[in-house]
Amino acid sequence: MTTHLAPPDTGTRADPAGGRRTGRVRRALLGRPDEPRWARPALWAVLVLTALLYTWSLSANGTANSYYSAAVLSGTRSWKAFFFGSLDAGSYITVDKPPMALWVMALSARIFGFSSWSLLLPQAAAGVASAGVLYTTVRRALAGRAGDAGGDGGPGGAAPYAAGLLAALVLALTPITVAINRDNNPDTVLVLLLVLAAWALQRAIETGRLRPLLLCAFFVGCAFNTKMLQGFVVLPGFALVYLICAPGTWVRRVGRLLAAGAVLAVSSAWWMVIVDLLPASDKPYIGGSTDGTVWDLVIGYNGLGRVFGGSGGGPGRGNGASFGGAAGAGRLFNDIVGGQISWLIPFAAIALVAGVVLRGRRPRTDLPRAALLLWGGWLALHFVVFSFAEGTFHPYYTTALAPAIGALTGLGGVLMFQAVQGRRGTAWALMVAFALALTGAWSYTLLRRTPDWNPWLAWVVAAATALAVAGLVGARLVRRAGPRLISRLLTGAVVAGLVGGLAGPAAYAASAAAARANGTNPTAGPSSGAMGGPGGMGGPGGMGMPGGMGMPGRPGGGGGMPGGMTSGPPPWLNGGRPPAGAPGLGTAARGQRMTGPIGGGMGGGADSKLVGYLVKNQGGARWLVAVGSAQSASSIILQTGKPVIAMGGFTGGDPAMTVAKLQGYVTAGRLRYLLLGGDDRGGDRGASTQITSWVQQNCTVVEAGAYGGTSSATAGGTGGDTSAGQRLYRCGT
């Protein structure tokens, strides 16, 4: 008989749950057992670098684009303003975009208080998340389905991780992406949603399941509610790739696309339908529209107006050449936009073609080829739309190209490098050498456009490119010398190629991270001295800007603003004292203390004495004052936190105000003061001649002495302040 003795009781018990938690943390930090040991630490390094670029001295950007910042602040004061995306808490008029990106920032500001960090940190976090999702998507594309890697000759081992890391690094270092992810324009959230849509589409092709395809449609619908039709640019490519590459019969694929179309319609149109069904008396005027409807905004100012120019729905629209250069095939390579996005476009195009050729004999459902077509379609569609759009075009729109450039660089670059090591390696070595040489030459050209800005960098790029080409050619010439020498030559070529391809954009990215952003037109790198079309500002094809606007391309997107306007936060935002009567706006971030007028972008600072007078005498009125455009209104909203009517919307040309509406506001005591004339975005376009006449006949001019000014003809403003030439009126009792 055998006696089994129990082990002694040590006073401890096994903790399976704790062990599982420890295992999950270990996998998150170090990766799964089947991953290369370097892969997960390298991913964390890329994400940390990305976060540093996007958040370094972030509070120095203050309120960034004051137009959107005012809407965020208003959304923290009123849930109605939050839902509609209203510029003011009184919900007179909305911004000219749907509100999804504003919701993200407004929720952050509601939780943490309105400050630079609560406003801008969600944007930076969205940028970091985009890099992480892109890494996962590209890695899975090369890892493939079960059985694709290794045994059938497909890519396996370390290749998928290297491709994903390269894709994420390229996205992180794209100069315009760094600039926009430190700002509060909606493009950062748009890019994240589209990258999530691409991830879901790839999962639908990989697994053959319907749910990821529906999820893809949902994300694209959310992108529409972030920036309207720009969110739909990827749709033709997405649908075509699914039809070609997804498993199942043709009928099944078409049926599933129809189901995804239904999800897309609901997720895109729900907000628009709700808003447009509401009576006009229960909602704000839709900024940017001609008739107060979201539908008009979709097909006009944010739709056909962006593509074809002057049909944007209001005066002053369609002047795209003033920001990104003349429309045409060379726009993305010109002196304004080239340094922001074009560094790796040639390599990405070559990598796309080479990758498709290398996967050419695979089955229709081959996942790496599907991924190449997905990102290639993304790149081609955005390239065409951005290059030839005749409407308003800002360089920062091109951040939407960055995920595709990164993905194609990672996918195609790794596939080409694997081909160099194969039996036909000589031909592919020459192909890769050509791609690197072209990339290095273009990088050298971009850097030499500003020869006084870090002049040594162009020569470093040239030398690294030469070493990379020499290493690739040398590895094929000495292929009988032994594998160790060949491996060293190829490794050296890869390192040199990375330096040659990424040093230029990395320097531009670092300049954007180190400088204060121009909220309205953020850009990275040095000024090329150009503005408008070929020849620069004032040159052939150029387009001058009012008030001596400088090129928005110096470090941090600098450049003077019209009429002496400045970019930056209100003095109180980062630790100063708010003006008398201004309500508390939450805990401000403690950082560099700024001075000067409020707001980034085109909005000038309102005279503090005038603002103080308005706050003191608002009484029971719903709105503090009515002004001509959103640029003047946003300044006062950010100074006071109070509702301000922007009668003409962003451009000053929206037909949002009528004499009857104004008279009703005054009669009901909802509005006491109007500030007319000298508007910073178009004079009296927002306050029409009829409104001006009614005000002059029925309201009383407030003498400047009443609030400490010097002349009743100038409602504040010294030293080029944009409020100069305005006149303040009091209406009603």
Side-chain angles (χ1 to χ4, degrees):
M1 180 177 179
T2 304
T3 303
H4 297 280
L5 299 177
D9 188 353
T10 61
T12 61
R13 294 290 185 269
D15 184 8
R20 286 194 297 269
R21 285 194 295 269
T22 302
R24 285 195 292 268
V25 172
R26 182 179 179 84
R27 284 194 298 273
L29 294 176
L30 302 178
R32 297 186 304 271
D34 59 336
E35 289 186 25
R37 183 170 296 180
W38 50 265
R40 190 59 60 95
L43 172 62
W44 283 115
V46 170
L47 294 180
V48 168
L49 172 64
T50 306
L52 286 174
L53 286 171
Y54 298 169
T55 62
W56 185 264
S57 192
L58 191 61
S59 62
N61 292 334
T63 54
N65 189 329
S66 61
Y67 179 57
Y68 295 119
S69 299
V72 170
L73 177 57
S74 299
T76 67
R77 299 306 179 86
S78 163
W79 284 111
K80 180 178 179 180
F82 176 92
F83 175 77
F84 287 108
S86 302
L87 178 70
D88 63 286
S91 288
Y92 173 79
I93 194 169
T94 71
V95 299
D96 58 4
K97 299 290 186 297
M100 186 158 284
L102 298 177
W103 290 345
V104 175
M105 292 180 281
L107 287 174
S108 172
R110 278 182 174 269
I111 295 171
F112 301 107
F114 185 85
S115 68
S116 293
W117 281 103
S118 66
L119 183 72
L120 300 178
L121 191 58
Q123 302 291 94
V128 176
S130 295
V133 175
L134 184 65
Y135 164 83
T136 298
T137 306
V138 172
R139 180 188 63 79
R140 290 190 67 93
L142 279 190
R145 304 179 183 88
D148 279 356
D152 66 350
Y161 301 95
L165 287 169
L166 182 56
L169 183 62
V170 169
L171 175 61
L173 295 180
T174 300
I176 195 60
T177 298
V178 176
I180 195 63
N181 287 348
R182 298 171 56 83
D183 192 41
N184 61 331
N185 283 275
D187 297 72
T188 297
V189 175
L190 172 74
V191 167
L192 173 59
L193 290 167
L194 292 180
V195 172
L196 285 168
W199 165 82
L201 178 64
Q202 183 177 289
R203 289 289 291 166
I205 296 172
E206 177 186 357
T207 64
R209 296 174 181 171
L210 176 61
R211 184 179 298 177
L213 183 63
L214 301 182
L215 188 60
C216 170
F218 171 76
F219 284 134
V220 175
C222 292
F224 176 86
N225 281 312
T226 301
K227 211 176 177 189
M228 292 193 167
L229 289 186
Q230 188 177 335
F232 281 0
V233 172
V234 298
L235 277 180
F238 279 13
L240 187 60
V241 168
Y242 186 83
L243 276 176
I244 294 173
C245 302
T249 64
W250 183 85
V251 173
R252 184 185 185 191
R253 281 174 271 150
V254 171
R256 291 190 166 189
L257 278 178
L258 292 175
V263 173
L264 176 67
V266 173
S267 61
S268 301
W270 70 271
W271 182 81
M272 176 176 66
V273 170
I274 291 174
V275 173
D276 281 353
L277 286 178
L278 290 172
S281 58
D282 294 336
K283 63 184 180 183
Y285 187 91
I286 304 302
S289 70
T290 60
D291 60 3
T293 66
V294 182
W295 175 249
D296 180 80
L297 182 64
V298 171
I299 64 173
Y301 181 52
N302 282 336
L304 299 179
R306 299 282 173 167
V307 178
F308 299 110
S311 61
R317 293 167 184 165
N319 60 338
S322 64
F323 295 104
R331 171 184 268 176
L332 301 190
F333 302 95
N334 68 20
D335 288 350
I336 303 172
V337 185
Q340 307 303 314
I341 191 65
S342 71
W343 303 84
L344 291 170
I345 288 179
F347 187 91
I350 294 172
L352 168 63
V353 175
V356 171
V357 170
L358 285 167
R359 307 296 293 182
R361 296 185 179 181
R362 299 281 173 156
R364 176 180 61 81
T365 57
D366 179 61
L367 191 60
R369 183 174 57 199
L372 287 164
L373 294 176
L374 186 160
W375 295 110
W378 177 316
L379 178 63
L381 288 166
H382 279 91
F383 183 91
V384 171
V385 170
F386 290 157
S387 294
F388 296 98
E390 297 284 349
T392 301
F393 176 78
H394 288 272
Y396 67 80
Y397 295 173
T398 61
T399 188
L401 287 161
I405 294 172
L408 291 173
T409 299
L411 287 167
V414 167
L415 288 173
M416 287 193 295
F417 183 77
Q418 288 182 319
V420 170
Q421 298 173 309
R423 288 178 297 177
R424 295 180 296 167
T426 300
W428 283 107
L430 294 176
M431 172 63 74
V432 176
F434 170 74
L436 292 178
L438 181 61
T439 302
W442 179 239
S443 181
Y444 178 88
T445 301
L446 289 172
L447 291 168
R448 293 302 294 170
R449 285 178 175 176
T450 52
D452 295 331
W453 187 77
N454 297 323
W456 54 269
L457 186 58
W459 300 106
V460 170
V461 168
T465 301
L467 289 174
V469 172
L472 285 166
V473 175
R476 303 312 302 178
L477 293 177
V478 300
R479 59 184 182 274
R480 294 184 180 179
R484 179 172 297 181
L485 177 59
I486 294 175
S487 176
R488 288 178 178 176
L489 287 172
L490 290 178
T491 300
V494 169
V495 173
L498 288 173
V499 172
L502 297 180
Y508 269 56
S511 78
R516 198 172 89 180
N518 178 326
T520 296
N521 195 37
T523 52
S527 171
S528 63
M531 185 67 174
M537 182 169 61
M543 184 170 184
M545 294 299 293
M549 175 186 259
M551 165 63 191
R554 65 173 174 82
M561 303 307 293
M565 301 175 206
T566 62
S567 175
W572 50 267
L573 183 63
N574 290 317
R577 181 184 298 274
L585 298 181
T587 303
R590 302 293 175 180
Q592 179 180 357
R593 190 166 174 179
M594 313 302 295
T595 59
I598 186 174
M602 305 291 285
D607 181 85
S608 59
K609 295 179 180 179
L610 171 61
V611 171
Y613 173 85
L614 292 171
V615 170
K616 182 179 179 180
N617 293 277
Q618 181 182 4
R622 182 175 186 177
W623 285 282
L624 183 67
V625 66
V627 297
S629 81
Q631 300 309 315
S632 293
S634 61
S635 170
I636 302 174
I637 290 170
L638 287 171
Q639 286 195 57
T640 65
K642 292 181 175 291
V644 175
I645 289 178
M647 292 186 288
F650 179 74
T651 65
D654 291 348
M657 181 62 80
T658 64
V659 171
K661 183 185 291 187
L662 177 59
Q663 187 174 7
Y665 286 162
V666 172
T667 301
R670 303 170 78 185
L671 178 67
R672 285 186 175 183
Y673 294 96
L674 288 94
L675 189 59
L676 300 181
D679 189 76
D680 55 273
R681 288 285 288 180
D684 289 331
R685 288 186 300 172
S688 64
T689 302
Q690 294 84 357
I691 291 174
T692 303
S693 298
W694 185 90
V695 171
Q696 291 173 343
Q697 294 171 14
N698 295 276
C699 303
T700 304
V701 174
V702 178
E703 296 296 333
Y707 50 83
T710 57
S711 170
S712 61
T714 58
T718 58
D721 190 297
T722 56
S723 60
Q726 294 178 328
R727 181 168 292 185
L728 181 65
Y729 293 85
R730 177 178 176 127
C731 303
T733 57

